[in-house]
Amino acid sequence: MGFIYSQLFVKPTYPTTSCAGQTIIVTGSNVGLGKEAARHLARLGASKLILAVRNTKAGEAAKHDIESTTRCSPEVIEVWPLDLSSYASVKAFADRASKLPRLDVLLENAGIAAGKWQVFEGHESTLTVNVISTFYLALLLLPKLKSSAKQFGIMPRLTIVSSEVHGHAKFAEWKEPKIFDTLDDESKFDVWERYPLSKLLEVLVFRQIAPSLEGSGMTLNILNPGLCHSELARDAGWTLAIMKFFLARNTEVGSRTLVAGAVAGPEAQGKYMHDGKVDESELSPFVKSEDGRLASEKVWKELSVILESIQPGITGNL
Ligand SMILES: NC(=O)c1ccc[n+]([C@@H]2O[C@H](COP(=O)([O-])OP(=O)(O)OC[C@H]3O[C@@H](n4cnc5c(N)ncnc54)[C@H](OP(=O)(O)O)[C@@H]3O)[C@@H](O)[C@H]2O)c1
């Protein structure tokens, strides 16, 4: 009932916080929620807005569209390639971003709801894109966010776009000796479970790493945009299409929740945001349970090993 109430009766606040002087990265910003969030951030005066996209032609089209509606100067928006299905692309993007004079916001929005089994970088595609590369990029850019905090006396934000569907995942695999190995077994792949599961893994990892950023000068939050119209799950079939028809927020309204995360203050550090506000009561019962805490520790332990195998020493950035 809470879901239906939010979808039908709650309209996240129209963003008005100035972003003047800020450098902001939005991943997956050529379409959907990322593009509409980028449009808000351009309107709010960001000095540099980087559209991090896997399809740069689509990124350029988004840049021109945003420029035409916000009348921001052509120097503000830049389109940079980032493909989360490739660790080399993530690393190249982060190396480039680390050379920026400052970084105020990394809004990690890009994600997929894969409709079939596929493997990227040795892991099932949803795990690679939504979880492994998302946290790889986060860890790669933590030093830049932290140094920007010190150098400019600001409080940079790292925001991860998750979903309330994290509560739909059964996640029986958390009790297996090797969680990622089990999830990477094609014979056990459940296409309907995988997207919500990837969003649950994001929340679990987030809860493990957020406390270590206390006192670092930057903040990390995670958010749920609600059900929104976008390109996501375009092949998911009639049930979702009907739900979206009756309940989905339009993309612009949904994107306000992303902007709320991107401009949030210290109150959102380590917190889950829902309807554009900090609201930990919206975390799933599993996440808040003792089993959820144990699963969170276990998932992070395994993910740390994976991240260390991609780049030795990377978890030291926390
Ligand atoms: N829409 C909803 O109801 C809803 C609800 C809860 C949470 N979310 C979350 O919101 C975020 C944005 O989703 P959306 O609904 O706006 O979906 P969308 O319209 O499909 O946008 C997803 C974005 O991610 C990009 N992307 C996909 N794979 C990528 C990769 N390998 N490397 C780099 N970028 C990649 C897409 O690029 P291409 O255009 O090239 O594919 C696109 O720009 C996702 O994290 C999603 O899980 C959405």
Side-chain angles (χ1 to χ4, degrees), residues 27-34 52-55 58 82-86 108-112 120 129-130 161-165 195 199 202 223-234 244 251 258:
T27 70
S29 37
N30 53 298
V31 288
L33 295 171
V53 298
R54 64 173 163 177
N55 176 346
L82 169 68
D83 185 349
L84 296 173
S85 68
S86 153
E108 291 215 77
N109 160 77
I112 53 167
F120 298 151
V129 172
N130 295 4
V161 181
S162 184
S163 170
E164 66 211 321
V165 301
Y195 172 73
K199 295 286 142 182
E202 287 177 350
L223 63 90
N224 164 40
L227 180 66
C228 309
H229 289 290
S230 74
E231 303 297 317
L232 194 75
R234 59 207 88 171
K244 279 193 169 178
T251 321
L258 275 63

Side-chain angles (χ1 to χ4, degrees), residues 52-96:
V53 298
R54 64 173 163 177
N55 176 346
T56 50
K57 207 171 156 204
E60 289 295 340
K63 168 181 155 77
H64 295 310
D65 178 21
I66 295 170
E67 283 169 353
S68 71
T69 54
T70 61
R71 297 178 195 275
C72 71
S73 141
E75 286 91 62
V76 170
I77 303 179
E78 294 182 16
V79 178
W80 290 16
L82 169 68
D83 185 349
L84 296 173
S85 68
S86 153
Y87 299 150
S89 172
V90 175
K91 178 76 167 70
F93 179 88
D95 284 349
R96 188 176 174 192

